[in-house]
Amino acid sequence: MRVACGKLSCFYTIRIYPVKVLKGNAQLGLTGNTLRKSLVIIQFTTSIILVVGSIAVYKQIVFISEKNLGFDKDNIIVVDQNEGIVKSYQAIKNDLHQLASFKNIAFGGNNIFTIPITTTDPVWASKPDNSSILFKVYRCDAEFISNDEY
């Protein structure tokens, strides 16, 4: 190990020219100017990547905001469920049906955009034996999708 360290320091000192060192002109590795240029290039490249990424995310947000999801989002009221609402759901539903401003009332298990329940169980006649298709399961009642609107 000592021999390797000695050889390394020997090779390092051989690269330094004594005349340049004495005059103060010796430069090893990256000079200040080269380092500065390298950092500017890295900073510029990083900023371009961040700008392009931000534009891509913005376009995706605009796309999903303008996408037709198959229902009118403006006329939907979502109420987080708790134990009291779940227990008296039928009574609440009956009371709301008596109001003229409510067209349809339905129960859904959780947020429709974050469905946590998945399965690969469904089977059909032409399903390949080795296929594993992931289905998302959304628990809801029969009135969740009204047939008269579609």
Side-chain angles (χ1 to χ4, degrees):
M1 183 65 148
R2 289 183 184 179
V3 174
C5 290
K7 285 185 179 183
L8 180 63
S9 62
C10 179
F11 287 126
Y12 184 73
T13 20
I14 289 174
R15 288 182 46 198
I16 301 173
Y17 299 101
V19 175
K20 288 186 178 181
V21 170
L22 292 174
K23 288 184 178 180
N25 295 333
Q27 296 176 347
L28 286 177
L30 287 176
T31 62
N33 201 19
T34 308
L35 179 63
R36 195 174 308 114
K37 287 180 182 178
S38 299
L39 290 175
V40 167
I41 290 171
I42 290 171
Q43 182 182 8
F44 184 71
T45 305
T46 304
S47 64
I48 293 291
I49 290 170
L50 289 174
V51 167
V52 169
S54 297
I55 290 170
V57 168
Y58 173 75
K59 286 187 173 189
Q60 288 183 350
I61 289 172
V62 168
F63 172 77
I64 197 65
S65 298
E66 295 174 355
K67 179 75 174 160
N68 181 4
L69 300 176
F71 58 89
D72 186 6
K73 297 181 285 188
D74 296 333
N75 295 325
I76 292 181
I77 299 173
V78 176
V79 178
D80 289 333
Q81 51 179 306
N82 59 36
E83 192 173 326
I85 290 177
V86 172
K87 285 182 180 177
S88 57
Y89 169 68
Q90 197 59 44
I92 294 171
K93 187 174 178 178
N94 291 338
D95 288 345
L96 291 175
H97 268 303
Q98 293 174 3
L99 301 173
S101 57
F102 284 89
K103 183 177 181 181
N104 189 12
I105 297 142
F107 174 79
N110 49 346
N111 186 341
I112 193 166
F113 300 110
T114 57
I115 301 173
I117 304 168
T118 58
T119 183
T120 56
D121 292 341
V123 178
W124 57 92
S126 61
K127 180 181 178 185
D129 291 336
N130 59 353
S131 93
S132 177
I133 300 172
L134 191 64
F135 288 89
K136 296 208 176 236
V137 178
Y138 186 72
R139 294 172 292 143
C140 59
D141 63 4
E143 292 184 19
F144 189 77
I145 297 178
S146 176
N147 292 331
D148 59 351
E149 293 181 24
Y150 299 99

